[in-house]
């Protein structure tokens, strides 16, 4: 069972019963035992189902090559696996604001409904507003939150709700980290505001350096905050990378 590395014992109170020789002394209820003049213990049962919040955060660059397909395929694999493990799943679609939200459910119909919405959804937002997104990640109880995004922008993870547990799934293409082979192609620039058709070596070097810096900063923040970060760059290896990245969770 994956359980996404959830922290804690995952125990729910079941009943109060008299102490027996095979009982765990850690669960003795001293107040009740004193009242009845004989030992009682609290019995617990394991709560092995979780609520997992999936966040698909996208901007205009999701249209680059097959990134949108990659994002949905990665999400579908993890969401379907969660449902098979009898977990509850919730889905949030976000760009610079909340575009759709599906409350926690154990029904596969949620995936079908969201799939239709996601396929039709188009955004004109040039950058995901992560600061605004993080405001939506406060729940009644601590949660597991899986965020899908390309993360090719400055992200301040200190604004995350620290009560949750996070997994980041980066959706990128290799060329987005190195434009050396893309000099004559049409792409969005780093600010995602203009289209550049011919790239000079100086522009390419500046872009590559900036993206590498952003990527390293994100990885360092994730390391400090114990956030698992898996970067997907090839549709053909999504399953293998997710399996490897979550194998020890």
């Amino acid at each position: 069972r994956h359980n996404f590395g959830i922290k804690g014992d995952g125990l729910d109170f079941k009943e109060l019963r008299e102490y027996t020789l095979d009982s765990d002394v850690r669960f003795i209820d001293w107040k009740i035992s004193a009242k009845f003049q004989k030992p009682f213990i609290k019995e617990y049962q394991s709560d092995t189902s979780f609520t997992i919040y999936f966040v698909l955060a996208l901007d205009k660059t999701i249209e680059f090559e097959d990134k949108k397909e990659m994002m949905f395929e990665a999400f579908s694999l993890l969401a379907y696996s969660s449902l098979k493990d009898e977990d509850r799943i919730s889905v949030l679609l976000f760009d610079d604001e909340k575009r759709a939200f599906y409350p926690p459910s154990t029904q596969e119909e949620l995936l079908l409904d969201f799939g239709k919405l996601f396929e039709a959804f188009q955004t004109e937002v040039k950058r995901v507003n992560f600061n605004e997104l993080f405001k939506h990640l406060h729940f009644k109880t601590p949660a597991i939150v899986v965020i899908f995004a390309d993360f090719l922008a400055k992200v301040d993870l200190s604004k995350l709700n620290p009560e949750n547990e996070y997994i980041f799934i980066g959706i990128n293409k290799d060329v987005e980290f190195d434009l050396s082979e893309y000099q004559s192609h049409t792409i969005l620039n780093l600010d995602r505001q203009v289209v550049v058709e011919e790239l000079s070596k100086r522009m390419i070097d500046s872009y590559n350096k900036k993206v590498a810096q952003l990527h390293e900063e994100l990885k360092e923040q994730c390391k400090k905050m114990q956030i698992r970060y898996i970067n997907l760059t090839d549709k053909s290896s999504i399953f293998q990378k997710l399996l490897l990245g979550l194998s020890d969770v």
Side-chain angles (χ1 to χ4, degrees):
R1 172 171 174 78
H2 60 74
N3 83 18
F4 289 93
I6 190 70
K7 300 178 180 67
D9 294 326
L11 298 177
D12 283 341
F13 176 73
K14 182 181 180 182
E15 63 182 357
L16 195 67
R17 65 172 177 82
E18 289 190 39
Y19 177 87
T20 58
L21 291 178
D22 61 345
S23 299
D24 191 331
V25 295
R26 294 177 303 167
F27 299 129
I28 292 178
D29 188 318
W30 296 106
K31 186 175 181 179
I32 297 296
S33 298
K35 180 178 180 180
F36 290 95
Q37 296 298 302
K38 56 183 176 181
F40 279 82
I41 68 164
K42 289 181 177 178
E43 193 169 76
Y44 294 86
Q45 62 185 1
S46 177
D47 177 15
T48 56
S49 67
F50 305 101
T51 299
I52 304 171
Y53 290 82
F54 291 99
V55 179
L56 285 78
L58 59 162
D59 52 36
K60 193 68 176 173
T61 60
I62 196 68
E63 298 173 6
F64 183 62
E65 295 190 355
D66 60 353
K67 286 176 63 174
K68 190 174 183 181
E69 293 177 29
M70 286 174 59
M71 180 179 284
F72 187 74
E73 183 171 334
F75 156 72
S76 297
L77 283 170
L78 295 185
Y80 186 74
S81 173
S82 299
L83 289 176
K84 286 300 181 184
D85 283 332
E86 300 182 348
D87 293 326
R88 299 172 296 275
I89 69 168
S90 176
V91 185
L92 170 63
L93 181 64
F94 195 93
D95 49 16
D96 63 344
E97 60 180 283
K98 180 170 68 175
R99 299 298 180 176
F101 177 73
Y102 291 75
S105 172
T106 58
Q107 303 301 310
E108 291 184 17
E109 285 77 7
L110 184 154
L111 296 181
L112 298 175
D113 290 344
F114 178 73
K116 295 175 183 178
L117 183 149
F118 186 79
E119 183 179 10
F121 181 74
Q122 293 183 322
T123 181
E124 296 301 321
V125 172
K126 295 180 176 65
R127 286 188 179 179
V128 172
N129 187 339
F130 284 100
N131 288 341
E132 185 64 26
L133 168 60
F134 295 162
K135 295 177 183 178
H136 292 270
L137 304 182
H138 292 264
F139 311 106
K140 292 181 179 180
T141 58
I144 306 169
V145 182
V146 184
I147 302 179
F148 301 83
D150 72 6
F151 296 108
L152 292 182
K154 198 169 187 64
V155 184
D156 183 4
L157 301 189
S158 68
K159 298 184 181 298
L160 281 171
N161 177 7
E163 294 184 356
N164 298 328
E165 181 176 349
Y166 298 93
I167 298 174
F168 286 0
I169 310 292
I171 306 294
N172 302 106
K173 304 300 291 185
D174 286 328
V175 68
E176 292 181 286
F177 294 97
D178 185 358
L179 296 183
S180 300
E181 303 299 323
Y182 243 64
Q183 296 184 32
S184 61
H185 289 255
T186 300
I187 63 169
L188 291 175
N189 74 348
L190 189 61
D191 291 329
R192 307 172 189 203
Q193 296 174 341
V194 299
V195 173
V196 181
E197 293 186 351
E198 293 294 333
L199 301 176
S200 67
K201 184 178 185 305
R202 180 179 179 183
M203 292 172 65
I204 291 173
D205 290 344
S206 175
Y207 175 92
N208 289 350
K209 182 179 179 180
K210 182 65 175 178
V211 169
Q213 180 183 348
L214 289 172
H215 197 225
E216 288 303 313
E217 288 177 357
L218 175 65
K219 290 195 294 184
E220 187 62 28
Q221 287 188 83
C222 287
K223 184 178 179 180
K224 289 181 179 178
M225 299 181 66
Q226 297 184 318
I227 295 174
R228 186 172 297 267
Y229 174 51
I230 304 169
N231 194 42
L232 305 177
T233 58
D234 183 356
K235 186 178 179 181
S236 65
S237 63
I238 287 178
F239 178 79
Q240 292 89 334
K241 280 196 171 184
L242 288 176
L243 185 64
L244 180 63
L246 297 172
S247 60
D248 60 338
V249 175

